[in-house]
Amino acid sequence: MRLMENVDLRKHGFTHLDALESESIHIMREVAAECKNPALLFSGGKDSIVMLRLAEKAFRPAKFPFPLVHIDTEHNFPEVIECRDKLALDLGERLIVRSLEDSIRRGSIVIRDESKPRNPYQSVTLLETIAEFGFDACMGGARRDEEKARAKERIFSFRDEFGQWDPKNQRPELWDLYNTRVHPGENIRVFPISNWTEMDIWQYIERENLHIPSIYFAHEREIVRRNGQLVPVSHLVKPKEGEVVERLMVRFRTVGDMTCTAPVASTACCVREIVEETAATRITERGATRLDDQTSDVSMELRKKEGYF
């Protein structure tokens, strides 16, 4: 691209999505070439579904040179788990699922309050899974526009032998050159879509006609209003005293632990309408929908330092 800097690539049909896609495919291929035993973290959410399509474009018609891995909190929305399993099966790729319940049974996780989100505990099961399979690199769908701690990370983010991240000691990535050297026990977290935005994700889903979980589209759901947000009522989240259960048309901008993921009021029933809503909003998806980011006494940066993805 640098050799053609005076050429308007848009006139040749090359769009910003093509540029992002090309960068992400390059990163995935770099991981496959330089790392001995990588994995792709795949939850069934929109970002990981985009990652799946990028992996297809990077490696098909061959099989992926890595398995798909999901760290399941057991608090996920069933529509997302169903989509996860369908996509992995349709592609014929290996899906490794490890659950927080496994760690709880082993005693490596102790949960004292089942009403609290399980997200902070995911790092324990993730580190156990990395050790079990000897992964030296894990690719994930985190984006820099999501949260300020994620904005600090390099695309290739080094983790020490304890799975910890030091935001003050990161490797330079000049001219898209990545340092993949790790010692035994260490690993790298890789973020191929770091430079994408929420809008880019939805535009790419529309362009590629990707199958996504139904809860991303507007649907009627029971909610209560809590701390200025719409909290979905479920077997895990019960109304508190004085709260009134309502049925509203909502959709989810992001999906995760049912106890801390809130929907937004919406009538968007297709991807085109979601793109239009996203263009009009001034609130980030995590700022609008992730209760744990706003109420947890443990910041995202601290969780990441301890091994959280």
Side-chain angles (χ1 to χ4, degrees), residues 98-112:
R98 290 295 180 267
S99 170
L100 265 65
E101 292 292 342
D102 300 328
S103 300
I104 292 170
R105 283 191 289 270
R106 284 192 292 269
S108 51
I109 291 177
V110 178
I111 296 181
R112 295 181 173 84

Side-chain angles (χ1 to χ4, degrees), residues 1 8-22 200 203-204 207-208:
M1 285 181 60
D8 188 348
L9 295 177
R10 289 173 296 181
K11 293 180 180 179
H12 299 267
F14 191 86
T15 68
H16 82 287
L17 288 181
D18 293 318
L20 289 169
E21 178 187 75
S22 178
D200 296 327
Q203 289 179 327
Y204 193 76
R207 189 184 85 172
E208 299 293 313

Side-chain angles (χ1 to χ4, degrees), residues 220-260:
E220 195 174 80
R221 184 178 288 263
E222 287 190 343
I223 63 94
V224 293
R225 300 179 187 272
R226 185 178 298 169
N227 299 322
Q229 290 184 305
L230 308 179
V231 178
V233 176
S234 68
H235 66 286
L236 294 172
V237 180
K238 305 295 185 182
K240 295 181 179 179
E241 185 177 352
E243 291 182 335
V244 178
V245 177
E246 305 175 54
R247 291 194 68 85
L248 290 181
M249 288 292 290
V250 299
R251 71 174 180 89
F252 288 84
R253 290 175 65 184
T254 182
V255 296
D257 189 314
M258 295 174 68
T259 65
C260 65

Side-chain angles (χ1 to χ4, degrees), residues 171 193 195 213 226:
R171 298 172 176 180
I193 61 172
N195 293 327
R226 185 178 298 169

